[in-house]
Amino acid sequence: MSPRTPVRRVVSLVPSLTEAVAATAPELLAGVTDWCTHPPGLGAERIGGTKNPDTARIAALAPDLVIANEEENRAPDLDALRAAGLTVLVTEVRTLEQAFSELDRVLVRGCGLPRPGWLDEAEAAWADITPDGPPRRAVVPVWRRPWMVLGRDTFAGDVLARLGVRHLYSGHEERYPRIPLDALTAAGADLVVLPDEPYRFTADDGPEAFPGLPAALVSGRHLTWYGPSLTEAPAVLTAALTSAG
């Protein structure tokens, strides 16, 4: 998108990008998904889920820009929006560095906004992270029934690695492989990391499947979202990992 093209209406199909725009220029948001929960009280129109957006409703909102992600959103939906004449900016975020560069691309080059201060703060928060002690070996489930875990090339996996946690399926050929529970418990991990999204693991739902293994219950927003939450993520995640023992 040309920086000379004014962007006054944005539809966001990604919860973390919704939060990023809302923290920078909330007046731009014309439509967001049903899963966009931050910040609370968003007044933008709801246009369905990330996997099943109402493309006709989005087109009717006449946004200047639709922001999406190659993992969270389906190609046929994005193609339908392009066919309706809309400009769609698709992000790819598989590392922390990509998160920072894509946020800049969305906000500055895409929306035509000044670079927000919170983005500089987020980069600074991660600049001097040094893991304390040797790496910990973890399994990181993201779903249950069936069990699915972090595999290769995931943003969450890169975040954990920077905090000294190496997940055991980082070399798997799939990004989110289905692994039987007996294989997970026999994988040789010394920690299980259980986020509260996309599956909502809790103290009563998840740790019992890994008897004898320390369980870190972590904020999914701080582990998997790329936006303003990145400023708090190092401290929040480190506290959760440390409390697991």
Side-chain angles (χ1 to χ4, degrees), residues 10-15 17-19 21-22 26 28-39 41-50 53-54 57-58 61 67:
V10 172
V11 168
S12 172
L13 302 182
V14 185
L17 295 179
T18 295
E19 185 179 20
V21 176
L28 295 184
L29 286 171
V32 299
T33 76
D34 298 339
W35 298 104
C36 294
T37 57
H38 286 76
L42 281 169
E45 183 167 344
R46 300 288 172 165
I47 47 77
T50 57
D54 187 332
R57 187 186 307 177
I58 294 171
L61 290 172
I67 51 178

Side-chain angles (χ1 to χ4, degrees), residues 14-108:
V14 185
S16 55
L17 295 179
T18 295
E19 185 179 20
V21 176
T24 309
E27 70 279 1
L28 295 184
L29 286 171
V32 299
T33 76
D34 298 339
W35 298 104
C36 294
T37 57
H38 286 76
L42 281 169
E45 183 167 344
R46 300 288 172 165
I47 47 77
T50 57
K51 306 297 186 189
N52 58 345
D54 187 332
T55 55
R57 187 186 307 177
I58 294 171
L61 290 172
D64 303 304
L65 180 66
V66 177
I67 51 178
N69 175 262
E70 50 91 27
E71 178 178 306
E72 293 215 38
N73 308 118
R74 302 185 314 139
D77 295 321
L78 304 183
D79 290 341
L81 295 172
R82 294 187 185 98
L86 302 181
T87 299
V88 181
L89 189 161
V90 182
T91 59
E92 178 185 284
V93 178
R94 302 190 182 189
T95 66
L96 190 62
E97 285 87 356
Q98 274 190 310
F100 293 138
S101 64
E102 290 288 66
L103 285 165
D104 185 272
R105 184 165 75 100
V106 167
L107 298 171
V108 179

Side-chain angles (χ1 to χ4, degrees), residues 93-179:
V93 178
R94 302 190 182 189
T95 66
L96 190 62
E97 285 87 356
Q98 274 190 310
F100 293 138
S101 64
E102 290 288 66
L103 285 165
D104 185 272
R105 184 165 75 100
V106 167
L107 298 171
V108 179
R109 285 174 281 170
C111 296
L113 299 169
R115 181 179 167 91
W118 64 258
L119 185 51
D120 293 327
E121 293 171 11
E123 289 200 64
W126 284 95
D128 298 318
I129 295 295
T130 302
D132 184 14
R136 305 175 74 179
R137 294 159 50 87
V139 291
V140 189
V142 294
W143 201 256
R144 183 172 189 168
R145 305 180 193 93
W147 287 95
M148 299 174 66
V149 299
L150 292 185
R152 64 171 180 84
D153 297 336
T154 65
F155 172 72
D158 187 56
V159 165
L160 287 172
R162 294 166 188 274
L163 299 175
V165 176
R166 183 174 69 84
H167 70 93
L168 295 183
Y169 293 91
S170 60
H172 198 281
E173 62 182 8
E174 298 178 27
R175 297 186 67 210
Y176 300 98
R178 298 185 182 190
I179 307 293

